[in-house]
Amino acid sequence: MATDLRPAYADIDEELFDVDQIPMTSRDVRSVGEMLFDVDYLARQLLMDVDGDAAGTLLRSWPTMVAAAEDLWASLPGRRPAVDERDRPITSLSAQAATIEASLSGRTAWPGQGPTSPRIDQMTLTFLNAASLVRRYGAEIRHEQPDAHRDLEAARTRIMHGLYLTAHAVNVALHEHGRDRVNDARSAGRRIHLAQRHSPYAIAPTGVWIDRISACENTARSYLTDRFAQALPGEAMRPAEDPGRLAQALANWDIQTHRALARDLEPSNILLISRTQGLIAGASMVLVDAAATAGVLERSDRLVPAIADAGRSWSNLASRWGDLAPPGARLEEPLARAAAEVRAAYRQVTHDKTTLASPEVIARRPGLPQAVRATLRAIEAGSELAVVVAEKAAAPDLIGPARALSRRAHNDVEAGMATPPAEGDFVWVSPTDIFAKRLVPLPPPVAETLRAASDATIDATSSASAVATLHQREAMAATHDGDPGLRGRTVPEAGRPPIATSTGPRR
């Protein structure tokens, strides 16, 4: 379910002073369905990146995320006055999270008071924004109709799946935190009592938190069992009525990245930039393949391999910047919002509900020439962006978490990617700094390989840019109605904004 939140202001004058009905001015144009899909995406990314140092921040963020998810769940149309079987899992999960929050409040023992996870906070905000949309326009959805009913069931499944993945990520972080403590104790020659449940690394005090987060994870899993695969095919998929959306999303992304990089940027934001550039490369390969199928572009033996090489370089660079990002580092909101819109705009063209669409299906979608032209333009611009990111990698004052940098330094030396020390085995980061979880300057091997990865990204993106420039003329010739990057969005008719199901018209 979704709506357009840009009706004439005269239509909503009476609601301007209602705090729950203040018009959104953030230009977040995603539908509710796209928001829920993005929560799923962010949770998967979190699960891939999680480590023991992030355990405390993740644990402190978990109860707030569950509360936001329950708020969205309660706002979905068609909910009965009493709690029924369908609502019991989210109610139970909310109660479990509330007890965790109460235990964390005022606590001095680990994890204590401190920052929350910006990545879970981003998912929490997405849930809250989706709930605001549903409360505003959900009453107009005829939820008793079969299509709407299936879409609402898919929305509940998406909510619970995002919570399940996040709970699992918190659990993994807690286990990794225990593993780090065991390894630190062994390195210092101290004895430590291994746990007998879950894993040997579920040691005190993390063992108690593992028990409680595991209960949350099991609650979410019980809801998804035999439901996830059956419910998601019922998710609504609206047609792409705005062929200029991807071009606008990529143009805004280019602006926000350069604005951010003009400042002294946190590594967490450069990680987001690098990872999004990798996503752009991956989606571009899909669009180029579809464009060749549709006859918009001639098949090329150079274009897709060059884009793939650029994508791999961006991904490798992102993994290295990820080592420099401390667990509580914040993301710049305009940059994060622009990245989310890029993901949503690509998915609208490249996906068919829950799966990647075939080239034949994408080829039949309206606006493919505009999308191809926009994505090739983004690939072309990637070379300049890689140079700016490389300048950040050359900064002499870069710091990062001690444990992550120590691991990276030893791994790069052992892999032959960095210059080995002359005296043989060498301790790059002090064990004291690792144990205290301090931020330390980059060890020489890490600085060396970060610069090398930046240079490799410049080379790969330059090659991709040159090839993409040659193919842009074909896409331009296929676009007969002007520059899509300069065209405005489709404006809804005056009066009541349109209503549709999950991935319907955006706000």
Side-chain angles (χ1 to χ4, degrees):
M1 88 216 54
T3 65
D4 193 313
L5 274 188
R6 294 171 293 154
Y9 278 92
D11 295 335
I12 51 176
D13 280 345
E14 70 278 5
E15 297 171 346
L16 288 178
F17 297 97
D18 183 345
V19 293
D20 291 328
Q21 301 294 338
I22 294 176
M24 300 293 290
T25 58
S26 65
R27 300 295 296 172
D28 188 344
V29 297
R30 293 174 296 166
S31 71
V32 171
E34 288 169 340
M35 290 181 183
L36 294 181
F37 183 87
D38 206 48
V39 168
D40 198 270
Y41 170 85
L42 293 172
R44 292 175 188 272
Q45 290 291 330
L46 175 64
L47 185 56
M48 288 191 294
D49 297 340
V50 72
D51 60 22
D53 286 348
T57 60
L58 295 175
L59 186 58
R60 287 188 288 267
S61 303
W62 168 249
T64 307
M65 180 183 180
V66 176
E70 185 191 30
D71 182 45
L72 172 57
W73 189 293
S75 68
L76 295 176
R79 192 181 191 193
R80 300 177 182 88
V83 177
D84 61 14
E85 187 65 29
R86 181 188 61 193
D87 298 327
R88 284 196 179 96
I90 191 66
T91 304
S92 176
L93 192 58
S94 178
Q96 292 167 338
T99 61
I100 291 176
E101 184 174 30
S103 298
L104 290 170
S105 180
R107 183 180 177 88
T108 57
W110 192 91
Q113 304 302 302
T116 55
S117 166
R119 302 174 75 169
I120 291 187
D121 292 346
Q122 186 179 358
M123 290 185 274
T124 300
L125 180 61
T126 303
F127 276 144
L128 293 174
N129 288 341
S132 177
L133 271 180
V134 175
R135 279 196 298 270
R136 189 174 178 83
Y137 299 116
E140 303 185 34
I141 296 176
R142 299 179 179 178
H143 56 82
E144 70 279 359
Q145 295 183 352
D147 289 347
H149 177 78
R150 285 192 293 269
D151 189 34
L152 289 168
E153 188 61 25
R156 295 185 187 94
T157 303
R158 283 274 187 209
I159 294 170
M160 191 63 74
H161 193 249
L163 292 174
Y164 170 68
L165 291 175
T166 306
H168 188 58
V170 178
N171 223 334
V172 171
L174 289 169
H175 277 88
E176 288 300 309
H177 176 73
R179 183 192 298 269
D180 292 340
R181 290 188 62 220
V182 170
N183 292 337
D184 290 343
R186 287 172 175 167
S187 299
R190 291 184 286 108
R191 299 183 64 182
I192 191 166
H193 180 69
L194 298 182
Q196 303 300 317
R197 301 180 61 232
H198 297 296
S199 83
Y201 305 109
I203 59 174
T206 54
V208 174
W209 296 113
I210 288 174
D211 284 339
R212 299 177 73 172
I213 291 295
S214 294
C216 295
E217 184 179 342
N218 291 335
T219 299
R221 183 174 57 226
S222 66
Y223 179 88
L224 295 170
T225 302
D226 299 328
R227 186 190 301 263
F228 185 77
Q230 287 76 19
L232 289 190
E235 196 171 34
M237 184 73 180
R238 65 170 173 80
E241 83 288 349
D242 184 0
R245 182 186 185 187
L246 180 59
Q248 286 193 334
L250 291 172
N252 184 51
W253 169 249
D254 185 68
I255 292 171
Q256 295 301 335
T257 53
H258 283 84
R259 284 178 176 173
L261 289 168
R263 298 186 289 275
D264 186 14
L265 201 60
E266 292 285 342
S268 56
N269 292 284
I270 303 180
L271 167 63
L272 175 62
I273 291 172
S274 302
R275 181 166 282 162
T276 303
Q277 289 298 125
L279 181 143
I280 289 172
S284 295
M285 291 191 291
V286 175
L287 289 181
V288 166
D289 190 18
T293 301
V296 175
L297 286 179
E298 292 185 6
R299 293 195 179 275
S300 169
D301 294 333
R302 297 177 56 200
L303 182 57
V304 170
I307 295 175
D309 190 30
R312 284 190 295 269
S313 297
W314 279 117
S315 297
N316 177 50
L317 188 61
S319 71
R320 295 183 176 276
W321 277 105
D323 290 335
L324 276 63
R330 314 311 296 179
L331 294 173
E332 293 205 1
E333 185 179 349
L335 187 69
R337 190 164 59 242
E341 172 59 11
V342 167
R343 294 192 295 267
Y346 268 119
R347 180 176 180 263
Q348 185 184 45
V349 181
T350 61
H351 279 67
D352 185 8
K353 293 188 178 180
T354 60
T355 61
L356 189 69
S358 66
E360 292 75 19
V361 171
I362 299 174
R364 294 194 296 268
R365 288 178 174 169
L368 179 62
Q370 292 95 322
V372 172
R373 182 181 174 187
T375 203
L376 290 177
R377 187 187 297 121
I379 294 297
E380 180 185 14
S383 59
E384 186 268 341
L385 189 62
V387 173
V388 181
V389 172
E391 292 176 356
K392 300 294 183 180
D397 58 347
L398 289 176
I399 58 175
R403 191 184 304 275
L405 296 185
S406 176
R407 287 172 175 167
R408 177 67 76 173
H410 286 287
N411 289 341
D412 285 348
V413 170
E414 289 181 4
M417 302 173 64
T419 304
E423 59 272 29
D425 194 16
F426 189 82
V427 178
W428 297 106
V429 179
S430 165
T432 303
D433 291 333
I434 294 175
F435 181 77
K437 297 184 178 180
R438 295 192 181 107
L439 299 179
V440 299
L442 269 61
V446 177
E448 179 186 347
T449 53
L450 179 61
R451 289 192 294 268
S454 299
D455 292 340
T457 303
I458 292 175
D459 293 340
T461 54
S462 296
S463 299
S465 175
V467 180
T469 301
L470 295 175
H471 287 79
Q472 274 198 65
R473 296 188 182 91
E474 296 177 53
M476 189 180 299
T479 307
H480 303 292
D481 51 353
D483 190 340
L486 301 179
R487 293 166 51 197
R489 287 195 181 279
T490 303
V491 179
E493 297 180 1
R496 188 177 68 180
I499 301 295
T501 51
S502 179
T503 47
R506 306 182 309 278
R507 54 174 180 159

